[in-house]
Amino acid sequence: MIISSCSVLTKTQLEMVENLSFRSDSVANAPKILFEGLSEIRLERGLYYASSLSSPQARAQELGALADGVVEDRKIAEKSQLYVSVLNSYLRALKSASSQSRWSDVGVELRSIGRNIDSLLIRYNKLGLDEEIPTGFAKHAGKTFGLIGEEVMKVKQTNFVKDFVLCGDSLVAESCDALVEILKGKQMTQLIDNEIAGLESNYYAYLMRQEQTGNLPSIQEDRHFIELTHKGSELKGLRNKCVSALRSLKNTHHKLYEEFSGEEKVNVAPQILEFYNLSEELCRMINNL
């Protein structure tokens, strides 16, 4: 009881931190999935247009421009990936630090030692020697020391998690703001709109060329075009949902910071619930791509 009273964070607070870190994976990785999807659409619609050209020279130039475009896409993606890597590293560390196994493993080990000692004593007594050794004590002692060990590790863990959240708040805020700025930037908006519009016009040019040469596109090509069109629409929605989730992650983490700093009494639960719902929606959108 004395040890527990020294704990900095309550069980509920620790669970909130663990839930936040657990739900942050899809949010942090969404920008990478977005860029990869847009790069695929850009490449495929460029190939449609290149295939519509009759001149070998024009086709070669278009393929060269397409290759340059892929390089530019990677530059934008790499810029965002820098912030994603920083954010992911922090969130993975936070998940590990707030995990129950950090303290429960100690208790499991001590209780296991107590049971093993008792088992040895029982086997010893079965030898039929003159003096029997009382059993049960080691088991109860192991259980007691297991509980004490857990409480000690809980105190260390909650101290560490609290300091970790307090120190990491500015890092989370900067990373989330930078990613939101990239995703909501003019360059990204133009990229999404151009790829969605260009896909349809380039496929139409490809169909016209096929008609001129007397070839009919296969049903697989039509299906691929429909899949790309669907993906383009989904990626546009994914961008907007990702922006909302990143803002929610920043705000939720800051609410935890305010509660742990003790500056004022805050209600983190609504913010956690909002972030949970946004991350769930984001996961569904990613799975549907």
Side-chain angles (χ1 to χ4, degrees), residues 23-249:
R23 287 291 168 185
S24 299
D25 288 350
S26 57
V27 177
N29 291 319
K32 179 183 178 182
I33 296 171
L34 174 63
F35 284 113
E36 288 176 349
L38 287 173
S39 182
E40 179 190 357
I41 293 176
R42 181 169 188 168
L43 177 62
E44 294 299 316
R45 67 97 175 162
L47 290 173
Y48 281 137
Y49 182 69
S51 298
S52 71
L53 301 174
S54 56
S55 166
Q57 183 180 3
R59 185 167 183 170
Q61 289 177 345
E62 181 60 28
L63 290 174
L66 185 59
D68 292 339
V70 171
V71 173
E72 288 300 314
D73 288 347
R74 287 177 180 171
K75 288 181 180 179
I76 303 174
E78 287 172 0
K79 182 181 178 182
S80 70
Q81 194 58 34
L82 175 64
Y83 296 105
V84 169
S85 298
V86 172
L87 193 57
N88 259 332
S89 296
Y90 171 80
L91 293 170
R92 281 195 298 268
L94 187 62
K95 181 190 292 187
S96 177
S98 59
S99 173
Q100 178 181 324
S101 63
R102 284 289 172 184
W103 54 265
S104 62
D105 287 349
V106 175
V108 170
E109 184 176 351
L110 290 173
R111 281 190 288 269
S112 177
I113 291 173
R115 286 193 297 269
N116 290 339
I117 292 174
D118 255 358
S119 297
L120 288 173
L121 294 178
I122 291 172
R123 289 169 62 185
Y124 174 83
N125 290 335
K126 285 183 178 179
L127 294 177
L129 301 177
D130 294 336
E131 183 178 353
E132 287 192 359
I133 301 176
T135 60
F137 172 77
K139 180 179 179 181
H140 290 300
K143 184 177 181 181
T144 301
F145 284 115
L147 292 171
I148 293 174
E150 287 180 359
E151 294 301 329
V152 170
M153 293 308 295
K154 280 182 186 179
V155 172
K156 291 184 177 181
Q157 180 187 30
T158 52
N159 272 286
F160 177 76
V161 170
K162 176 191 173 184
D163 291 341
F164 202 62
V165 170
L166 294 177
C167 293
D169 191 57
S170 59
L171 183 145
V172 172
E174 290 291 337
S175 298
C176 289
D177 286 344
L179 287 169
V180 168
E181 185 177 353
I182 292 172
L183 295 177
K184 291 291 288 183
K186 183 178 179 180
Q187 188 176 11
M188 175 58 69
T189 301
Q190 289 178 342
L191 178 62
I192 294 175
D193 293 341
N194 290 343
E195 296 312 315
I196 293 176
L199 176 62
E200 183 176 354
S201 61
N202 288 0
Y203 189 64
Y204 180 73
Y206 167 75
L207 292 178
M208 292 292 292
R209 178 60 184 167
Q210 293 296 98
E211 184 180 4
Q212 291 171 3
T213 56
N215 296 319
L216 292 176
S218 66
I219 189 171
Q220 286 81 6
E221 290 172 329
D222 290 336
R223 182 179 290 112
H224 186 51
F225 167 72
I226 292 173
E227 289 173 351
L228 289 173
T229 302
H230 172 74
K231 176 172 281 192
S233 177
E234 289 293 310
L235 288 174
K236 193 170 185 177
L238 180 67
R239 189 271 297 263
N240 296 332
K241 189 64 65 178
C242 184
V243 167
S244 298
L246 284 167
R247 286 172 174 165
S248 180
L249 172 59

